[in-house]
Amino acid sequence: MKDEVIYLRSAGVDLGKRFLLACTRTPSPARPGSWSLETERFGTTQSEIRWLLAWLVAARVEVVVMEATSDYWRSVYYMLQPHLHLMLVNPAHLKGIRGRKTDPSDAAFLARAGASGMAMGSFVPDRAIRELRDLTRRRTEIVRAAGQEAQRLEKELEDTGMKLSSVLSNVVGASGRAILEALIAGERDPGELADLTYGKARNKIPALIEALDGEFTEHHAFMVRHYLDQIDQLNALVTTFDTRIAVLLTEREQDLEALATIPGTGRLAAEIIVAETGGDMTRFDTAHHLASWIGVCPGQNESAGVNKSGRTRPGNSNLKRLLGTAGVCRTIG
């Protein structure tokens, strides 16, 4: 059975790090009902991509399909998108399409998939949202790095025999920081150290006196100082990113306030939701489509009326992680 044709003139682009192959699929002038394939090889520099654009425009293609291969697609997509109907497709969506091996190249397969409407385009946000994503994702990485430094500091304290983290939930909070700074300065008396705490932590002074009984050496002081400085540097970076993100989201304050009212979320979560979705829900036909895109829909594996275990799709890992955390916070709350 022949493929249904939606676009008479299509193209596929097979991406690589150093070069790419592009194939156009157009009606054959010599044999009505058949197709002519023309393949060209291009480099991945900006001048080569401009040449690719001119070649595709000259071929009068109605749709161009490319796979989301690593990050190689970015520069090509961004240059072609303003001028052509472009579809960036998930490689996993193409695996089940029949007939791939009958095409002379992956580029020709992509052109055929685009012409017949078998390919589904992925959501690619505009430049402003892409820049916002870069900032929120990098901020998340920095926050995670600061947490990892705090864990390393706790391990260093375990080497001293002290059990500070067993009493204080946050060893780099106000009370924990005061104790650590005093230890670095040379104070070793558990009673004096415990008396440096603030607020509710003062109710734990007896437990702290017992927990601070250990051997804190000059080496430990050097390492703890290092970890505290690293945490401070990372926290300063987070503040810098917070400021930049706030500038980019100035006109979305109302959306952020509305999102922050959702149980389990807050300002940071709202910023990430806007950055990942673009803040435009019209891109998703229904709430179910959005949930599927995020990857929070349960997998379906039914055979002969029996439901078996099904995996969820990877989806948007940043939003999936965020929603999982928000769900836990809501449950605890």
Side-chain angles (χ1 to χ4, degrees):
M1 183 177 66
K2 292 185 177 181
D3 296 328
E4 179 183 358
V5 176
I6 297 177
Y7 299 103
L8 289 177
R9 310 180 73 88
S10 63
V13 179
D14 185 22
L15 300 165
K17 183 176 183 178
R18 295 183 178 85
F19 68 90
L20 56 87
L21 290 177
C23 177
T24 57
R25 183 178 190 265
T26 58
S28 172
R31 298 176 57 192
S34 62
W35 306 95
S36 294
L37 300 179
E38 183 179 354
T39 302
E40 287 285 347
R41 173 171 166 160
F42 299 87
T44 54
T45 62
Q46 292 293 286
S47 60
E48 288 282 307
I49 298 174
R50 282 191 287 270
W51 180 25
L52 167 65
L53 172 60
W55 184 73
L56 292 172
V57 170
R60 296 183 289 115
V61 295
E62 300 167 275
V63 64
V64 181
V65 179
M66 63 177 66
E67 284 184 303
T69 306
S70 184
D71 288 322
Y72 305 147
W73 62 270
R74 294 181 181 274
S75 60
V76 180
Y77 185 95
Y78 298 155
M79 183 171 288
L80 300 186
Q81 193 272 332
H83 308 282
L84 298 166
H85 176 202
L86 212 58
M87 293 181 64
L88 181 72
V89 298
N90 187 332
H93 293 165
L94 299 173
K95 288 184 178 179
I97 298 177
R98 63 178 180 81
R100 180 164 193 158
K101 295 302 182 182
T102 65
D103 293 302
S105 67
D106 284 343
F109 164 73
L110 292 172
R112 182 170 65 86
S116 60
M118 293 185 290
M120 295 185 297
S122 299
F123 166 46
V124 181
D126 58 31
R127 178 179 293 276
I129 295 299
R130 295 200 302 266
E131 292 176 354
L132 181 62
R133 273 188 180 182
D134 284 346
L135 292 169
T136 56
R137 290 179 180 183
R138 180 55 182 162
R139 181 179 62 183
T140 298
E141 292 172 351
I142 296 171
V143 170
R144 189 178 299 123
Q148 291 170 344
E149 291 299 311
Q151 292 174 347
R152 295 185 181 104
L153 188 152
E154 290 184 22
K155 289 183 179 180
E156 191 68 32
L157 290 177
E158 287 293 326
D159 191 64
T160 70
M162 296 180 175
K163 300 296 181 181
L164 184 60
S165 61
S166 298
V167 181
L168 296 180
S169 59
N170 183 9
V171 296
V172 293
S175 294
R177 176 66 71 110
I179 292 172
L180 293 174
E181 292 289 356
L183 282 166
I184 293 171
E187 181 62 64
R188 296 293 182 268
D189 182 80
E192 294 293 331
L193 292 169
D195 194 47
L196 296 172
T197 54
Y198 301 90
K200 294 181 179 180
R202 295 193 63 79
N203 298 328
K204 303 178 181 179
I205 286 180
L208 280 169
I209 292 175
E210 185 177 356
L212 290 168
D213 182 12
E215 185 179 359
F216 194 93
T217 67
E218 290 186 8
H219 171 72
H220 295 131
F222 178 87
M223 294 302 296
V224 169
R225 175 80 276 156
H226 162 70
Y227 290 129
L228 289 176
D229 289 346
Q230 285 289 99
I231 292 170
D232 289 342
Q233 292 174 12
L234 292 168
N235 287 337
L237 275 177
V238 170
T239 301
T240 301
F241 273 74
D242 285 341
T243 302
R244 177 63 178 167
I245 290 169
V247 170
L248 295 186
L249 288 172
T250 301
E251 298 181 357
R252 292 182 175 268
E253 195 62 36
Q254 186 174 357
D255 293 337
L256 294 173
E257 291 177 359
L259 287 168
T261 62
I262 300 174
T265 66
R267 173 76 184 200
L268 293 181
E271 290 174 349
I272 294 173
I273 291 172
V274 171
E276 295 299 327
T277 64
D280 181 8
M281 296 299 104
T282 61
R283 296 179 180 273
F284 306 97
D285 293 337
T286 66
H288 297 291
H289 285 84
L290 174 60
S292 177
W293 177 75
I294 297 172
V296 292
C297 289
Q300 292 184 337
N301 184 9
E302 181 179 338
S303 178
V306 178
N307 288 317
K308 302 179 181 179
S309 177
R311 296 182 300 175
T312 58
R313 63 186 299 272
N316 185 304
S317 60
N318 299 284
L319 265 182
K320 183 185 289 189
R321 186 187 311 112
L322 173 69
L323 293 178
T325 302
V328 170
C329 293
R330 179 180 180 181
T331 301
I332 294 175

